[in-house]
Amino acid sequence: MKRKFLALGIGIILGSCSLLMPMSNTAYAVTNKQLEEKKKDIQEKRSNVQSEISQKKDDLVQIGEEKSAVQKELDKLELTIADTENKIKEKEAQIASAKEEIKKLQQEIAVLKEQIKKRDELLKERIRSIQENGGVINYLDVLLGAQSFSDFINRVSAVTSFMEADRDLLRMHQEDKALLDKKEADAQKQLEELNKKLADLEGMKKKLDGQYVQRNKLLEELKEQEKDMHEELLVFEDEAAILAAQAKAIERELAAWKKKQRELEEQRKREANKQGNSNVGAPPAITNGVFMNPATGRLTSHYGQRWGRLHSGIDIGKGGRTEAVPIVAAASGIVIKANFDRSYGNVVMITHVIDGQVMTTVYGHMESLSVSNGASVEKGQLLGYMGNTGNSTGPHLHFEIHHGPWNGSRSNSVNPLRYVNY
């Protein structure tokens, strides 16, 4: 939608300029200098906008590279996090297995503890029996109570077996207790190591998750910056398109202005031929500025009080020249009066619109008129020739400039020398 409005805007710019160029209305009249200055201004703006566009494109490339680097980091973090999660699962499985082993071990330990308990009771009973029978003497009584040699041998064998059994019982008791202590220590150590590894892995995962969140946040910020830059780039590209359209329109205006100047020059030549007088002086050169000099010659009378009344303009004298002296429009405008007046003689009044302000120029005492009421005239266009008509004491041009419409009291007249040079 934005691009549609842009295309429409460019079309309006080009279209309006093409409509303005053929018009001679002073609302659109501009000088060659103004057009050149406008052209230069647009060229500078286009250069600045192109620099901004180039910078934005470089920034977008940089943002793209940063996004790519951050995305690679995120991909790497995702793989590391996934690997860590797998290791955590493995450790959790190992811990579960270790706990199951510990559970089985605890059952075995319970059996061992019961065996140890029974052996403790048996050993206590043996010790109590030995103490009651005076230590090892009971073994001698057994041997001495033999009824025969064969009975003695049997008794010796029995006593030996009893003593070995007691020693075996004590050894088994000690081994079982040592085994119990070792199994308990090993199981507890294994569980502690697994829990420590699990805690380390969980800490690592938490750190990785934090890094992932930070990098992902950075990626989102880069995406937002990239979006903003794209929008800014579109704005600059739109501005560049509008400036290009304006530059094209200015070129057309300049071409039209130059064409019009050629036409004016040809018109002057035709007007001179119509006068049937080959002895016609050169018109004043068209100059830049709001107004140009309306005729060639010397200033013979200034603006201001003269003979007790306001002389509301300046006089440019013919100065003894024998050729016809052209009078031209000081600026483009519309002729509002072109006839004979008792005071001004043959007079032309032109209204202008200069920078939005209405202004009026007056050209009096002309020999003849080359324009008529309502005509559109261009800056430098021939209005007639210097004469001595009306209330005049000799051939000259009486030239006035008014801020606003002309009025009989000439109250809004200004010194023309503010705008022209003599």
Side-chain angles (χ1 to χ4, degrees):
M1 182 62 70
K2 181 179 179 182
R3 289 284 172 166
K4 289 182 180 179
F5 283 126
L6 171 63
L8 178 62
I10 293 174
I12 291 172
I13 290 170
L14 293 174
S16 61
C17 289
S18 64
L19 288 172
L20 300 183
M21 282 185 287
M23 295 181 67
S24 57
N25 192 315
T26 56
Y28 307 110
V30 293
T31 66
N32 185 40
K33 182 179 180 181
Q34 288 172 318
L35 289 173
E36 290 293 347
E37 288 176 350
K38 190 184 296 184
K39 178 181 176 181
K40 182 180 178 182
D41 181 58
I42 289 173
Q43 287 174 339
E44 289 178 355
K45 288 180 180 178
R46 289 184 70 187
S47 177
N48 292 336
V49 168
Q50 287 300 327
S51 296
E52 290 289 348
I53 289 174
S54 178
Q55 184 61 52
K56 290 299 175 188
K57 287 182 177 180
D58 290 343
D59 292 343
L60 281 170
V61 170
Q62 184 177 352
I63 286 288
E65 291 174 351
E66 290 181 17
K67 275 178 56 187
S68 178
V70 172
Q71 187 61 59
K72 287 180 180 178
E73 291 181 18
L74 284 172
D75 294 340
K76 185 177 179 180
L77 282 170
E78 284 182 351
L79 291 175
T80 307
I81 289 171
D83 182 62
T84 304
E85 287 176 342
N86 289 332
K87 288 180 179 179
I88 287 173
K89 290 178 181 178
E90 290 176 3
K91 293 304 174 188
E92 288 175 343
Q94 289 175 6
I95 288 172
S97 177
K99 287 181 178 179
E100 190 64 29
E101 289 296 324
I102 289 172
K103 185 177 179 181
K104 292 179 181 178
L105 183 59
Q106 286 174 342
Q107 293 175 353
E108 293 176 7
I109 289 170
V111 172
L112 284 172
K113 284 182 177 180
E114 185 63 29
Q115 290 176 355
I116 290 170
K117 182 180 178 182
K118 289 180 179 179
R119 290 194 191 106
D120 281 341
E121 292 297 328
L122 181 59
L123 287 171
K124 288 177 183 179
E125 185 64 29
R126 287 291 182 93
I127 292 170
R128 190 165 41 249
S129 174
I130 291 170
Q131 288 175 344
E132 290 175 353
N133 291 286
V136 297
I137 299 174
N138 56 333
Y139 289 114
L140 294 175
D141 290 342
V142 172
L143 293 174
L144 294 176
Q147 299 297 320
S148 64
F149 182 75
S150 177
D151 186 30
F152 177 78
I153 293 301
N154 289 334
R155 286 181 181 234
V156 169
S157 177
V159 168
T160 302
S161 297
F162 285 137
M163 291 178 68
E164 288 178 354
D166 287 341
R167 283 196 298 270
D168 290 341
L169 184 62
L170 285 170
R171 187 182 69 254
M172 288 176 62
H173 190 63
Q174 291 171 348
E175 289 176 354
D176 284 346
K177 288 189 72 175
L179 179 62
L180 175 63
D181 292 339
K182 186 176 184 304
K183 284 186 176 183
E184 282 183 326
D186 290 346
Q188 190 62 37
K189 182 180 179 181
Q190 182 185 11
L191 185 60
E192 288 175 357
E193 288 176 353
L194 288 172
N195 281 323
K196 184 178 182 302
K197 289 179 180 179
L198 178 62
D200 291 342
L201 288 170
E202 287 176 342
M204 183 186 296
K205 183 178 180 299
K206 184 177 180 181
K207 183 179 179 180
L208 291 171
D209 287 339
Q211 292 177 359
Y212 186 86
V213 169
Q214 290 179 350
R215 304 312 287 174
N216 195 56
K217 182 180 178 182
L218 176 59
L219 181 62
E220 292 302 319
E221 290 175 354
L222 290 172
K223 287 180 179 178
E224 192 65 27
Q225 289 180 21
E226 185 180 45
K227 180 182 176 183
D228 292 342
M229 284 184 182
H230 274 298
E231 292 177 355
E232 291 173 5
L233 181 60
L234 286 176
V235 170
F236 283 120
E237 287 176 344
D238 289 349
E239 186 176 353
I242 291 172
L243 288 171
Q246 289 179 341
K248 186 175 180 181
I250 290 295
E251 290 293 341
R252 293 173 63 178
E253 286 189 57
L254 278 168
W257 187 89
K258 291 175 182 178
K259 179 181 178 183
K260 192 64 179 179
Q261 300 312 303
R262 291 193 298 269
E263 291 174 351
L264 288 173
E265 185 62 30
E266 292 173 1
Q267 184 180 4
R268 290 193 192 99
K269 292 178 181 179
R270 288 195 300 270
E271 292 289 342
N273 292 332
K274 285 181 182 179
Q275 292 292 325
N277 185 358
S278 60
N279 190 21
V280 175
I286 298 174
T287 57
N288 294 322
V290 177
F291 294 103
M292 63 175 284
N293 288 357
T296 60
R298 183 174 62 86
L299 182 67
T300 59
S301 185
H302 287 267
Y303 173 90
Q305 294 296 320
R306 189 177 68 176
W307 305 324
R309 58 183 295 183
L310 176 66
H311 183 239
S312 55
I314 59 174
D315 294 339
I316 298 94
K318 192 172 182 179
R321 287 176 286 180
T322 58
E323 71 273 16
V325 179
I327 308 297
V328 300
S332 301
I334 304 295
V335 176
I336 59 172
K337 182 179 177 68
N339 54 21
F340 181 81
D341 181 270
R342 283 190 306 169
S343 176
Y344 286 117
N346 289 324
V347 63
V348 172
M349 294 185 183
I350 302 174
T351 185
H352 316 270
V353 178
I354 308 296
D355 294 330
Q357 179 182 1
V358 175
M359 299 183 75
T360 306
T361 53
V362 179
Y363 311 77
H365 309 305
M366 287 193 287
E367 180 181 352
S368 61
L369 302 177
S370 301
V371 293
S372 58
N373 284 331
S376 296
V377 293
E378 296 292 337
K379 186 178 187 180
Q381 183 174 335
L382 182 68
L383 303 178
Y385 294 90
M386 191 178 291
N388 189 29
T389 59
N391 188 9
S392 172
T393 58
H396 72 285
L397 167 67
H398 176 77
F399 179 62
E400 298 178 6
I401 296 179
H402 297 258
H403 281 177
W406 181 89
N407 60 66
S409 65
R410 301 167 177 82
S411 59
N412 56 1
S413 64
V414 297
N415 189 349
L417 293 181
R418 291 169 54 182
Y419 298 97
V420 296
N421 299 307
Y422 283 99

